[in-house]
Amino acid sequence: MRVDVLTIFPDMFPGPLGGGVVGRALEQGLLTVVAHDLRDYTDDRHRQVDDIPFGGGPGMVFKPEPLVRAVRAFRAEDPAARVILLSPQGRRFDQSVARELANESHLVLICGRYQGVDERAREEIGEELSIGDYVLSGGELAAMVVVETVARLVPGTLGSHESLSEETFTDRGFEPPLYTRPASFEGREVPEVLRSGHHAAIERWRREQSEERMRRRRPDMVRDGATAGGI
Ligand code: ADE
């Protein structure tokens, strides 16, 4: 998978994406992340990407020309590229959106900044994603969250100890409680069933625990049918 990121802070990348599972995927060439400077798509001496809003109001707005120029260049190079603006007004990003995006071969993630983005550029981009109902000062961290989440779903990116196929209970709820040695820690014991060697019983216990956790902690996710996809 290829991910192009359009930002006024290209030096922020790969940043935290350079470590862990995603860092390994980058090294192995399973994933390519390229950050592009939006200022490279300006045509004035000051490389200006923002301007004051028509009608007044605080802050600055991303000008349409550099963004539209960049988006058209990406689409001309690859008509299959999925171009997405990170914005708190977008469709909510979650695990099922991540699974959807993991099927794409090419994402172009556009990081907004300032008070916002000129409406005509937003229309040109067409798709917006929000990572949650809070406002970041820019889309860069949101783009990193999207890349991190999607990348680990791309086949081959997980190490054997992190195999997705072994995340069995994510089909039905949250991860069940996990334990490692010691069997007794400060008087708190590992549940007997996990030490029984009885695989069917272990599987049943884990399924019950993961479903119960989701019911108790996130009843909204049970109602919304999120368990169908798992998390
Ligand atoms: N940019 C600012 N806030 C954001 C959010 N919550 N999600 C995505 N992009 C953003």
Side-chain angles (χ1 to χ4, degrees):
M1 168 179 279
R2 178 181 172 95
V3 182
D4 288 292
V5 181
L6 189 64
T7 166
I8 55 166
F9 296 118
D11 293 346
M12 285 176 73
F13 292 84
L17 297 175
V21 165
V22 181
R24 208 157 60 217
L26 290 171
E27 276 166 24
Q28 292 173 348
L30 294 166
L31 175 72
T32 305
V33 177
V34 182
H36 304 265
D37 191 340
L38 179 61
R39 292 186 198 282
D40 291 345
Y41 295 89
T42 56
D43 60 1
D44 63 310
R45 207 156 49 84
H46 302 290
R47 291 160 55 86
Q48 191 181 344
V49 292
D50 61 331
D51 208 338
I52 53 174
F54 270 113
M60 302 289 272
V61 176
F62 267 164
K63 291 159 61 65
E65 303 94 325
L67 279 170
V68 168
R69 197 174 289 131
V71 167
R72 288 183 183 160
F74 284 120
R75 286 195 170 126
E77 208 176 286
D78 179 8
R82 182 139 166 200
V83 185
I84 300 169
L85 174 70
L86 281 309
S87 147
Q89 297 179 28
R91 170 187 179 199
R92 175 75 71 84
F93 181 69
D94 62 15
Q95 196 66 23
S96 74
V97 177
R99 275 190 291 269
E100 182 187 317
L101 296 183
N103 291 320
E104 301 284 346
S105 60
H106 187 185
L107 302 178
V108 177
L109 302 180
I110 300 177
C111 306
R113 276 267 154 183
Y114 305 108
Q115 288 306 108
V117 171
D118 185 281
E119 191 64 20
R120 292 156 298 181
R122 295 174 72 153
E123 287 165 6
E124 179 90 15
I125 296 164
E127 181 171 359
E128 301 187 18
L129 273 185
S130 164
I131 63 161
D133 293 339
Y134 41 80
V135 181
L136 304 164
S137 23
E140 285 76 10
L141 287 176
M144 288 180 198
V145 166
V146 170
V147 173
E148 160 83 26
T149 311
V150 171
R152 59 188 297 285
L153 300 176
V154 171
T157 53
L158 289 173
S160 56
H161 295 295
E162 304 142 305
S163 162
L164 271 185
S165 62
E166 286 173 17
E167 288 180 24
T168 317
F169 301 96
T170 62
D171 292 347
R172 301 168 198 100
F174 286 147
E175 279 282 321
L178 299 171
Y179 296 88
T180 186
R181 287 179 289 190
S184 176
F185 175 68
E186 296 184 344
R188 286 179 288 166
E189 311 295 325
V190 172
E192 193 53 45
V193 61
L194 294 178
R195 300 158 63 193
S196 66
H198 189 321
H199 294 299
I202 292 170
E203 189 169 334
R204 194 178 328 114
W205 182 85
R206 285 182 166 161
R207 182 179 305 121
E208 287 165 4
Q209 290 286 322
S210 62
E211 287 173 357
E212 167 56 20
R213 278 197 165 188
M214 186 170 276
R215 260 198 308 278
R216 196 161 15 94
R217 297 181 185 197
R218 293 294 305 274
D220 57 311
M221 291 180 79
V222 178
R223 258 200 319 277
D224 296 348
T227 50
I231 195 158

